[in-house]
Amino acid sequence: MSAETAVATSIFARAMGDDFCRLHPMLQRRFGVGLAAGYACVGRGTMSTIRRGPWWTIPFLQIGRFRNILIPETGRGIAFTIENHPYRDPFGRETVTFVRHFRMPRAVRRFDATMVLGDDGRILDYLGSHQHLAVDLRLTAEPDGSLLLRSDRQRFYEGPLGFRFPMLFSGRAELRESYDDVAQVFRIRLEVRNRVFGFLFGYEGEFCCEFPEATDAPSHTKPVRHERRM
């Protein structure tokens, strides 16, 4: 299988269709991670800013911290890593990890996610160490070759319990990734907003990537529990 064919089989390429080819070539490589491609993507860089909303957002973010979903602290010049490894989950689905470590002044915080391709062709993002929250994602290529990711419907799963998560008590994420040809770095910006209460959490930074060979994910990047429901 050629490298081009392998990349084209990634879950992100399949979800985006022809739009994937409109991404910057380095973004195509980054989101070409997959079992057929046989490589992972490991990024290291700096968040210029990590922000949160007003004081009343802290309890919301603290709850997320216990399951590696969002972080309650703020900061500038924060070193971080992001690990994207492909693997096949216990239900036979190709999965890609999105595990972020933020080296905050008092502790290293994690923001975990694992992504699969849904039966209807959408990307499904399981958030946290136990995949409690399943979020539909919409990915599009912008005119400048950057990637725009928006979150949509959310479901909460725990044991036999499963329900549509009310957006009044959650937030919608908008993430942009681009590649700077001059600086030769990836740039990233995330904002999470609630339709009533406004800005909740966000970060902005830059990073460089390595693309090591991979056909599985390290155990420390996999969730504690896998959720079958989509």
Side-chain angles (χ1 to χ4, degrees):
M1 179 182 293
S2 69
E4 292 79 6
T5 302
V7 169
T9 64
S10 79
I11 63 172
F12 306 103
R14 283 181 279 165
M16 294 180 68
D18 293 341
D19 212 25
F20 188 80
C21 299
R22 288 187 277 273
L23 293 174
H24 187 287
M26 288 301 292
L27 285 174
Q28 291 185 43
R29 187 179 185 192
R30 171 158 157 65
F31 289 92
V33 166
L35 294 173
Y39 68 85
C41 178
V42 180
R44 296 179 177 86
T46 303
M47 287 296 172
S48 55
T49 59
I50 298 178
R51 304 179 296 136
R52 61 167 171 78
W55 62 268
W56 45 261
T57 63
I58 296 176
F60 168 82
L61 297 174
Q62 286 285 7
I63 291 172
R65 177 175 65 86
F66 290 111
R67 292 300 192 201
N68 294 345
I69 306 174
L70 304 179
I71 55 177
E73 297 97 336
T74 63
R76 294 181 178 274
I78 303 298
F80 83 101
T81 60
I82 180 166
E83 297 184 66
N84 305 120
H85 298 276
Y87 72 99
R88 198 164 298 282
D89 76 5
F91 310 115
R93 303 175 299 188
E94 181 172 357
T95 307
V96 178
T97 68
F98 275 73
V99 174
R100 288 142 284 199
H101 288 85
F102 300 89
R103 298 192 176 279
M104 307 303 294
R106 295 185 178 181
V108 177
R109 300 300 189 196
R110 284 180 60 146
F111 184 177
D112 291 6
T114 41
M115 299 189 187
V116 302
L117 186 67
D119 295 336
D120 60 358
R122 75 187 187 281
I123 293 292
L124 183 66
D125 189 7
Y126 291 106
L127 296 180
S129 57
H130 290 64
Q131 294 192 343
H132 284 312
L133 199 61
V135 181
D136 294 342
L137 300 181
R138 294 181 286 128
L139 287 69
T140 55
E142 295 288 89
D144 63 354
S146 61
L147 175 71
L148 173 61
L149 179 154
R150 289 190 175 104
S151 67
D152 202 348
R153 296 174 303 172
Q154 302 179 10
R155 277 87 59 204
F156 181 86
Y157 298 123
E158 170 57 33
L161 183 67
F163 59 88
R164 178 88 171 263
F165 201 82
M167 296 308 298
L168 179 63
F169 303 107
S170 187
R172 293 187 184 274
E174 181 172 289
L175 179 144
R176 294 177 186 271
E177 279 204 31
S178 61
Y179 188 77
D180 186 327
D181 287 299
V182 176
Q184 296 188 337
V185 295
F186 293 89
R187 300 195 185 279
I188 186 169
R189 178 183 177 88
L190 169 74
E191 286 196 352
V192 180
R193 291 181 174 273
N194 179 277
R195 67 183 183 184
V196 175
F197 302 111
F199 176 77
L200 300 177
F201 174 81
Y203 55 67
E204 184 172 0
E206 62 182 44
F207 58 99
C208 297
C209 288
E210 299 175 347
F211 300 92
E213 294 183 1
T215 56
D216 196 5
S219 58
H220 74 270
T221 66
K222 293 181 180 180
V224 174
R225 177 183 75 91
H226 286 86
E227 175 59 56
R228 180 191 292 270
R229 290 166 290 184
M230 305 179 75

